[in-house]
Amino acid sequence: QVELVESGGGSVQAGGSLRLSCGPSGYTYSRPWMAWFRQTPGKEREGVATIYTAAGTTYVADSVKGRFTISQDNAKNMLYLQMNGLKPEDTAMYYCAARSRLLCGGGCWGAEKYNSWGQGTQVTVSS
Protein backbone atom coordinates (compact mmCIF):
# COMPACT_ATOMS: atom_id res chain seq x y z
CA GLN A 1 0.00 0.00 0.00
CA VAL A 2 1.09 3.56 -0.72
CA GLU A 3 1.14 5.49 2.53
CA LEU A 4 3.49 8.29 1.46
CA VAL A 5 3.51 10.59 -1.54
CA GLU A 6 6.60 12.28 -2.98
CA SER A 7 6.71 15.35 -5.18
CA GLY A 8 9.23 17.84 -6.52
CA GLY A 9 11.16 15.72 -8.97
CA GLY A 10 12.00 16.89 -12.46
CA SER A 11 14.74 17.50 -14.99
CA VAL A 12 17.54 19.95 -14.25
CA GLN A 13 20.97 20.89 -15.54
CA ALA A 14 24.08 19.80 -13.68
CA GLY A 15 24.71 22.15 -10.80
CA GLY A 16 21.04 22.88 -10.38
CA SER A 17 18.79 22.35 -7.39
CA LEU A 18 15.55 20.59 -6.53
CA ARG A 19 13.55 20.15 -3.35
CA LEU A 20 11.65 16.93 -2.85
CA SER A 21 8.68 16.77 -0.52
CA CYS A 22 7.02 13.80 1.14
CA GLY A 23 3.79 13.63 3.06
CA PRO A 24 1.22 11.08 4.20
CA SER A 25 -1.37 9.97 1.67
CA GLY A 26 -3.96 9.22 4.32
CA TYR A 27 -3.88 8.08 7.92
CA THR A 28 -0.97 9.51 9.85
CA TYR A 29 0.73 7.41 12.49
CA SER A 30 3.96 7.58 14.42
CA ARG A 31 7.05 7.40 12.18
CA PRO A 32 10.13 7.59 14.42
CA TRP A 33 12.45 7.17 11.44
CA MET A 34 12.08 8.54 7.94
CA ALA A 35 14.42 8.44 5.00
CA TRP A 36 15.08 9.16 1.37
CA PHE A 37 16.27 6.41 -0.95
CA ARG A 38 17.06 6.38 -4.64
CA GLN A 39 17.25 3.68 -7.25
CA THR A 40 18.46 3.34 -10.82
CA PRO A 41 17.73 0.42 -13.16
CA GLY A 42 19.67 -2.71 -12.25
CA LYS A 43 20.82 -1.42 -8.87
CA GLU A 44 19.63 -1.92 -5.31
CA ARG A 45 17.79 0.84 -3.57
CA GLU A 46 20.38 3.18 -2.04
CA GLY A 47 19.93 5.15 1.15
CA VAL A 48 20.46 8.87 0.65
CA ALA A 49 19.58 10.37 4.01
CA THR A 50 17.75 9.41 7.18
CA ILE A 51 16.25 11.28 10.10
CA TYR A 52 15.23 10.33 13.63
CA THR A 53 12.10 12.41 13.73
CA ALA A 54 11.70 12.88 17.48
CA ALA A 55 15.03 14.63 17.86
CA GLY A 56 15.64 15.75 14.30
CA THR A 57 18.93 13.86 14.16
CA THR A 58 20.02 13.49 10.55
CA TYR A 59 22.34 11.16 8.67
CA VAL A 60 23.50 11.73 5.11
CA ALA A 61 25.27 9.38 2.73
CA ASP A 62 28.85 10.26 1.86
CA SER A 63 27.97 10.47 -1.82
CA VAL A 64 25.66 13.43 -1.25
CA LYS A 65 27.12 14.97 1.90
CA GLY A 66 27.53 18.71 1.57
CA ARG A 67 25.02 18.84 -1.27
CA PHE A 68 21.82 17.26 0.06
CA THR A 69 19.96 18.14 3.25
CA ILE A 70 17.15 16.16 4.85
CA SER A 71 14.68 18.05 7.00
CA GLN A 72 11.20 17.79 8.43
CA ASP A 73 8.22 19.85 9.48
CA ASN A 74 6.64 17.86 12.30
CA ALA A 75 3.63 20.17 12.54
CA LYS A 76 2.75 19.39 8.92
CA ASN A 77 3.99 15.79 8.94
CA MET A 78 6.22 16.63 6.00
CA LEU A 79 9.68 15.43 5.02
CA TYR A 80 11.98 17.24 2.62
CA LEU A 81 15.16 16.64 0.68
CA GLN A 82 16.94 19.76 -0.53
CA MET A 83 19.29 18.82 -3.35
CA ASN A 84 21.92 21.32 -4.43
CA GLY A 85 24.84 20.97 -6.81
CA LEU A 86 23.13 18.13 -8.63
CA LYS A 87 25.28 15.82 -10.72
CA PRO A 88 24.32 13.47 -13.57
CA GLU A 89 25.05 10.52 -11.27
CA ASP A 90 22.25 11.73 -8.99
CA THR A 91 19.76 10.76 -11.67
CA ALA A 92 17.40 8.20 -10.15
CA MET A 93 13.93 7.50 -8.89
CA TYR A 94 13.76 8.95 -5.40
CA TYR A 95 11.61 7.35 -2.72
CA CYS A 96 10.38 8.51 0.65
CA ALA A 97 10.27 5.86 3.37
CA ALA A 98 9.11 5.57 6.97
CA ARG A 99 9.65 3.13 9.80
CA SER A 100 6.94 2.57 12.40
CA ARG A 101 9.23 0.96 14.96
CA LEU A 102 11.56 3.02 17.13
CA LEU A 103 14.55 0.79 17.68
CA CYS A 104 16.94 0.89 14.75
CA GLY A 105 20.72 0.68 14.77
CA GLY A 106 23.05 3.41 13.64
CA GLY A 107 21.38 5.84 11.30
CA CYS A 108 18.75 3.25 10.38
CA TRP A 109 20.22 2.56 6.98
CA GLY A 110 18.88 -0.16 4.73
CA ALA A 111 15.67 -0.34 2.75
CA GLU A 112 14.64 -3.47 4.64
CA LYS A 113 14.29 -1.42 7.83
CA TYR A 114 11.42 0.63 6.44
CA ASN A 115 7.84 -0.53 6.15
CA SER A 116 6.10 2.40 4.44
CA TRP A 117 7.01 3.78 1.03
CA GLY A 118 5.96 6.33 -1.51
CA GLN A 119 5.60 5.62 -5.21
CA GLY A 120 8.72 7.55 -6.15
CA THR A 121 9.52 10.77 -7.98
CA GLN A 122 11.97 10.92 -10.87
CA VAL A 123 15.02 13.17 -10.76
CA THR A 124 16.99 13.58 -13.97
CA VAL A 125 20.19 15.62 -14.13
CA SER A 126 21.71 16.43 -17.51
CA SER A 127 25.22 17.63 -18.26
Side-chain angles (χ1 to χ4, degrees):
Q1 61 180 352
V2 178
E3 298 179 341
L4 301 168
V5 178
E6 307 96 334
S7 64
S11 298
V12 298
Q13 299 288 323
S17 298
L18 285 172
R19 188 181 77 157
L20 306 185
S21 299
C22 170
S25 61
Y27 179 77
T28 301
Y29 54 89
S30 180
R31 299 182 176 92
W33 288 93
M34 295 195 75
W36 288 98
F37 287 79
R38 65 186 182 185
Q39 188 169 28
T40 55
K43 296 184 64 178
E44 292 186 350
R45 199 160 292 189
E46 172 192 20
V48 176
T50 69
I51 183 168
Y52 173 57
T53 61
T57 308
T58 62
Y59 305 83
V60 183
D62 289 341
S63 61
V64 302
K65 193 169 296 181
R67 299 188 296 119
F68 291 11
T69 303
I70 186 172
S71 63
Q72 65 179 349
D73 184 337
N74 286 144
K76 298 181 179 180
N77 294 310
M78 296 293 291
L79 181 73
Y80 305 99
L81 184 68
Q82 180 65 48
M83 305 184 293
N84 298 325
L86 284 163
K87 304 175 180 179
E89 50 263 47
D90 294 319
T91 295
M93 184 73 75
Y94 283 72
Y95 298 89
C96 175
R99 177 180 171 89
S100 60
R101 299 173 182 172
L102 173 63
L103 297 179
C104 198
C108 203
W109 295 101
E112 73 280 359
K113 300 183 184 299
Y114 295 84
N115 56 285
S116 296
W117 294 86
Q119 80 290 341
T121 185
Q122 179 68 39
V123 171
T124 302
V125 185
S126 61
S127 59

